Amino acid sequence: MAADGGFRVIGRRWRRVDGPAKTAGQTVYADDLVLPRMLHGRLLRSHLPHARIRRIDVTRARAMPGVHAVITGDDLPIKFGIMPSSQDEETLCRDKVRYVGDPIAAVAAVDEETAERACEAIDVEYEPLTPVMSIEEAAAGGGTPVQEYGDGPGPHVHKNVSLEFGDMAAGFAAAEHVREDVFFFQGNTHLPMEQHSAVGQRDAAGRVILWTSSQTPHYVHRALSKVLELPMSAIRVVATPVGGGFGGKSDPFSHEICAAKLALATGRPVKITLTREEVFYAHRGRHPVLMWIRTGVRRDGRITACHIRTFLDGGAYGSYGVATTYYTGALQTVTYRIPAYKFEGARFWTNKPPCGPKRGHGTPQPRFGIELQMDKLAEDLGMDPATIRLVNATAPFTRTVNHLRITSNGLRECIERVAAASGFREKHGRLPAGRGIGLAVSTYLSGAGLPIYWNDMPHSEVQLRVDRGGGVTLYCGAIDIGQGSDSVLAGVAAEALGLDPHEISLVTADTDLTPIDLGSYSSRVTFMAGNAALAAATKARDLLVAAVSEHLELERDELVVGDHRIHAAADPSRGVSFADAAALAEAMFGTLTTVGSYRPPRLAGPFKGSGVGPSPAYSFSAAAVEVGVDRGTGEVRVERVWIAHDIGRAINETLAIGQIEGGVYMALGEALMEEQIFRKGLHKIPSMLEYKSPTFLEMPPVETILVNTDDPEGPFGAKEAGQGPLLPVIPAVANAVYDAVGVRIDEIPISPDKVLAALEQRAKGAPARIGPRGVPPFVFRKPLAVEPPAGWETPWRSAAGAEGR
């Protein structure tokens, strides 16, 4: 037994269950699939950012040798989308294109080259329309409407949100210092190593099978059913191993639907793999967000009120944008106790590829602004940046003014431990010229509290089978996207059954074979599927114990499960092996199959918009970053990162640390170099050679501190570690740059030219700041005034576990 909690598996370091197959090259990704008589598909995409389609002529393409089918939007007229409120995408555009890269037609041919040439032979007559290319242009309302729906005012507003919690006037009246700041967070993309790929096939019974690299096979299943006008029972979706997702494979995509439709049309399997350039345009990555933040504080640093406005560049379609808009305002109150809070957010249509969820989904942008402003407030008040965060840090088992329920909370410990490990208080403001250290904090969800399609069914389901030889197989709809969820589920089941994780076989993400899981997004799999797996394994263990109890003529509570045996606690020599226990149990109960499921508690508040933000548990993080800044070149070198993460309890420490370090890596790329830039609708750098992201040469040493708070609702106390660790690193870099050279870069990426420009401004006596100067005039809707939850300032449960109100 391990010392920590008495667990045999949980919290230990063990190799991934999928590691041998991946390192041996045996893992079969979607693009590796080769089926007999398989055809290859390609999509014709728009070269204009905004245009009406006057005519599509596919005659020449259909006549080409080797071409088996050509389809257009008329073959797939039903719109789809991930959010029920934004079903605005056409598989293939029928009347209008809205961004460079919008798909117009699809071809299935004997090989990719023939399919590509056939796409070039399709004649499309366009009527160019005035494009809308920025937040400012969209807010001004000029140009041709991108979409035909939205909240307004004006033609380019997708979502307009305004919520107010508590007494804002009293909050700002109580403030002894108020400051306003404007920030900009540039959009960026996921950059997975694996491109999107899908293979469609019609089976002998006429059903559609789709193998796809997807984070959300359940929602792809739904979209296929809708667009193909087939019952879900006539469709099978198999999510292949995913070579990196980060949110970029969370939407249903046109190439998936086209692969299925072309397979139906030809009667042969059809594979469509996007090129790297297509992936940059398919995108669905980080929204560019312009932010205005006004915060009032007392002299001791305590926040009295906060008002935040966000302006999102959403691109041409809805994707997850409604949720993203709310996320830019939802979680500020989870880290800091804010007694009065107002959030206004607007998402705009533009003629650029649609933005969607990327690691952190809508929360890194406001976190960047909030954490930079906290440093500015600390400087205004003469406070230490760590102290002002501790003064305002939320407590365990409390509620926020905007009706979010916090359970375990290790934020204070994260701040203290990362400050101590990095020597933050000794270094801040005291390092030699050109060197600096910055600190920031954050929080994130352990899964969203509500499903995308609201219903009362479980969010995760697991079946577990024990065969008479002692083999254990776990069936779950969750897909491992590289985060290690297969290993987590195996570890949870192994702990409950007294086995090793590598003895658990997994069947995952196959809609014919596995029960439903809503997908690998919102950092939900460990918490939700983990709880479902624990429930199923516990039921199986109970059956095994019951059978052994009768066999040994001992009471059940006299038995111990562990080390591949079930034996008497008082006399370990009296027992049976796990395999023998399985045979005894099957003789007693028949086939040994158990199930488990998880549905979060009801957490949404009593107001519209409260469905985004609630989670059964929040993780917390703090990061310190030390940098060196070259005053001659403006280059920022990250010397070291310290990050503390409240994980509840790590299922596998190696995996948890890997996730955290991955988040640090991605954050450094966003902070210093990554950006999606478009010129007249064309992506400026749609290749992995030109799109700047860190290599291992830029990756600094990272010291990871796991803070265990043992969440009462997580499986074995676990919370998320997938997305939260990215968030504090980006503002910590910006704060470190200010500490190093005294310039404020209030927008990312913090590129050398911006640092140099700020240094030059300071040399001329101008404000040493680079960032937006303001926000465009815009009329947010009248705020929905919401009373804080009753007793929100009082802990609802003590740290010892006694339930309060």
Side-chain angles (χ1 to χ4, degrees):
M1 286 189 179
D4 186 6
F7 297 118
R8 298 176 53 261
V9 175
I10 302 302
R12 288 173 49 201
R13 294 171 177 257
W14 32 278
R15 62 177 169 81
R16 297 173 60 122
V17 298
D18 57 344
K22 285 185 172 173
T23 52
Q26 294 176 343
T27 301
V28 178
Y29 296 91
D31 194 43
D32 293 328
L33 290 171
V34 178
L35 301 180
R37 301 172 67 243
M38 188 172 77
L39 301 173
H40 296 267
R42 297 292 301 145
L43 302 180
L44 173 67
R45 296 179 181 273
S46 169
H47 67 283
L48 296 174
H50 202 189
R52 205 172 306 283
I53 299 172
R54 290 299 186 194
R55 182 178 60 88
I56 303 175
D57 186 348
V58 300
T59 306
R60 289 194 300 142
R62 282 188 174 142
M64 291 176 64
V67 171
H68 285 253
V70 181
I71 57 174
T72 68
D74 289 341
D75 297 298
L76 295 160
I78 298 175
K79 292 186 176 182
F80 70 100
I82 185 68
M83 302 290 288
S85 59
S86 300
Q87 300 284 302
D88 56 11
E89 295 190 54
E90 294 174 314
T91 307
L92 300 167
C93 298
R94 302 175 71 198
D95 304 317
K96 186 177 173 182
V97 292
R98 294 176 170 85
Y99 70 96
V100 172
D102 228 354
I104 299 168
V107 174
V110 291
D111 53 45
E112 281 193 316
E113 290 74 18
T114 303
E116 191 69 45
R117 288 200 303 274
C119 285
E120 294 169 359
I122 296 172
D123 295 316
V124 184
E125 182 182 337
Y126 297 100
E127 176 193 344
L129 301 172
T130 306
V132 180
M133 301 306 296
S134 69
I135 292 170
E136 290 76 12
E137 286 182 22
T144 309
V146 181
Q147 286 283 358
E148 290 71 43
Y149 75 103
D151 280 358
H156 307 309
V157 182
H158 176 205
K159 196 65 187 171
N160 187 339
V161 176
S162 187
L163 297 166
E164 185 172 332
F165 305 91
D167 191 334
M168 291 294 290
F172 278 111
E176 294 167 296
H177 177 67
V178 176
R179 70 170 297 141
E180 297 178 8
D181 292 290
V182 185
F183 305 97
F184 180 64
F185 199 109
Q186 180 58 277
N188 48 59
T189 194
H190 316 81
L191 212 63
M193 294 300 291
E194 180 206 23
Q195 296 142 243
H196 300 56
S197 182
V199 179
Q201 183 184 38
R202 185 178 68 185
D203 71 10
R207 298 174 77 229
V208 175
I209 306 174
L210 185 78
W211 292 268
T212 180
S213 178
S214 172
Q215 297 177 232
T216 56
H218 173 65
Y219 292 113
V220 172
H221 199 190
R222 279 178 175 268
L224 285 173
S225 174
K226 179 181 180 185
V227 179
L228 298 178
E229 299 182 86
L230 293 172
M232 291 177 76
S233 59
I235 300 167
R236 177 185 181 187
V237 176
V238 183
T240 52
V242 175
F246 315 114
K249 295 166 183 169
S250 297
D251 287 64
F253 285 94
S254 287
H255 72 278
E256 294 170 315
I257 300 171
C258 286
K261 182 66 177 179
L262 288 168
L264 287 173
T266 62
R268 293 172 62 167
V270 177
K271 179 197 290 184
I272 300 179
T273 300
L274 302 189
T275 65
R276 179 59 61 181
E277 184 173 356
E278 283 181 297
V279 174
F280 274 94
Y281 282 100
H283 186 36
R284 316 302 167 103
R286 188 85 75 216
H287 285 68
V289 180
L290 180 63
M291 295 162 277
W292 171 89
I293 304 174
R294 181 172 187 248
T295 302
V297 293
R298 297 184 186 276
R299 291 192 196 285
D300 64 1
R302 279 183 296 161
I303 296 171
T304 62
C306 181
H307 182 183
I308 179 168
R309 289 177 175 150
T310 62
F311 302 76
L312 290 76
D313 184 342
Y317 294 100
S319 182
Y320 287 81
V322 171
T324 315
T325 308
Y326 280 107
Y327 273 131
T328 61
L331 300 188
Q332 279 61 266
T333 56
V334 178
T335 51
Y336 301 127
R337 184 186 175 281
I338 302 174
Y341 180 62
K342 184 175 182 179
F343 164 62
E344 295 171 305
R347 184 179 192 261
F348 297 95
W349 302 118
T350 58
N351 289 112
K352 292 190 282 190
C355 295
K358 184 188 173 188
R359 206 170 194 164
H361 191 186
T363 65
Q365 300 98 322
R367 181 55 53 187
F368 174 75
I370 287 285
E371 293 301 308
L372 265 62
Q373 190 175 70
M374 288 297 284
D375 257 40
K376 295 180 182 188
L377 285 165
E379 184 177 37
D380 294 346
L381 298 171
M383 294 182 71
D384 159 46
T387 301
I388 195 172
R389 289 174 169 85
L390 287 168
V391 164
N392 289 290
T394 52
F397 304 106
T398 53
R399 292 185 176 84
T400 70
V401 71
N402 57 336
H403 293 255
L404 301 179
R405 187 199 67 159
I406 299 171
T407 56
S408 58
N409 182 344
L411 179 58
R412 289 176 182 277
E413 185 177 348
C414 287
I415 296 171
E416 293 287 15
R417 291 186 67 178
V418 83
S422 64
F424 179 81
R425 290 188 173 92
E426 295 76 24
K427 293 178 179 176
H428 187 253
R430 298 183 178 87
L431 289 172
R435 293 182 67 89
I437 189 167
L439 186 143
V441 308
S442 194
T443 183
Y444 200 68
L445 320 168
S446 296
L450 289 166
I452 292 172
Y453 289 81
W454 288 22
N455 59 64
D456 291 328
M457 291 183 281
H459 294 204
S460 286
E461 299 170 330
V462 166
Q463 292 177 335
L464 187 144
R465 191 195 74 191
V466 181
D467 65 45
R468 61 182 61 180
V472 178
T473 305
L474 187 148
Y475 301 81
C476 180
I479 178 68
D480 194 325
I481 59 171
Q483 84 280 38
S485 65
D486 283 359
S487 298
V488 166
L489 298 179
V492 167
E495 179 68 49
L497 295 171
L499 301 173
D500 290 334
H502 299 88
E503 294 174 288
I504 309 296
S505 300
L506 288 111
V507 177
T508 60
D510 183 329
T511 59
D512 264 15
L513 304 179
T514 62
I516 295 292
D517 180 271
L518 297 185
S520 294
Y521 63 94
S522 292
S523 287
R524 53 179 299 286
V525 178
T526 291
F527 198 98
M528 297 189 180
N531 268 322
L534 179 57
T538 301
K539 291 176 184 175
R541 182 186 63 191
D542 291 345
L543 294 176
L544 296 167
V545 168
V548 176
S549 168
E550 182 173 290
H551 176 70
L552 296 180
E553 297 180 342
L554 292 170
E555 297 297 323
R556 298 180 188 184
D557 58 6
E558 294 181 276
L559 296 173
V560 172
V561 178
D563 298 323
H564 307 84
R565 297 179 75 238
I566 298 177
H567 58 81
D571 180 7
S573 66
R574 284 191 69 194
V576 301
S577 68
F578 185 87
D580 288 342
L584 291 169
E586 185 165 336
M588 178 179 287
F589 301 109
T591 304
L592 292 177
T593 302
T594 58
V595 297
S597 61
Y598 178 79
R599 185 179 68 188
R602 295 185 184 278
L603 298 168
F607 59 93
K608 184 177 181 182
S610 65
V612 179
S615 176
Y618 298 94
S619 70
F620 294 87
S621 302
V625 177
E626 188 169 330
V627 304
V629 180
D630 188 319
R631 293 169 181 268
T633 65
E635 181 188 8
V636 177
R637 302 181 314 280
V638 177
E639 305 288 351
R640 195 173 185 88
V641 176
W642 297 263
I643 184 163
H645 185 71
D646 166 18
I647 192 171
R649 182 187 298 278
I651 299 295
N652 178 329
E653 284 200 355
T654 300
L655 281 178
I657 291 171
Q659 282 292 93
I660 292 167
E661 291 185 352
V664 171
Y665 165 81
M666 184 172 277
L668 294 178
E670 295 194 28
L672 296 172
M673 54 189 78
E674 294 190 38
E675 51 186 338
Q676 291 260 103
I677 304 174
F678 296 87
R679 297 283 186 268
K680 298 181 180 179
L682 288 172
H683 198 299
K684 189 177 177 183
I685 42 178
S687 81
M688 292 185 81
L689 286 175
E690 298 165 297
Y691 182 88
K692 301 301 181 188
S693 66
T695 68
F696 71 88
L697 294 175
E698 285 86 32
M699 189 64 186
V702 178
E703 182 175 332
T704 300
I705 302 164
L706 297 181
V707 173
N708 291 318
T709 51
D710 197 10
D711 191 84
E713 299 183 28
F716 296 111
K719 298 193 290 189
E720 79 89 30
Q723 304 189 68
L726 173 142
L727 279 79
V729 177
I730 301 168
V733 171
N735 290 335
V737 169
Y738 178 70
D739 189 48
V741 291
V743 300
R744 286 287 184 193
I745 311 299
D746 287 342
E747 65 178 43
I748 66 151
I750 305 170
S751 51
D753 59 312
K754 293 175 184 174
V755 176
L756 284 179
L759 288 170
E760 289 171 6
Q761 287 178 197
R762 190 175 68 173
K764 295 175 182 175
R769 174 185 179 272
I770 297 294
R773 297 183 178 180
V775 295
F778 181 75
V779 179
F780 288 96
R781 60 175 47 185
K782 182 181 178 182
L784 175 63
V786 182
E787 288 295 319
W792 73 280
E793 295 172 295
T794 305
W796 53 272
R797 170 180 167 159
S798 72
E803 294 289 342
R805 68 186 70 245

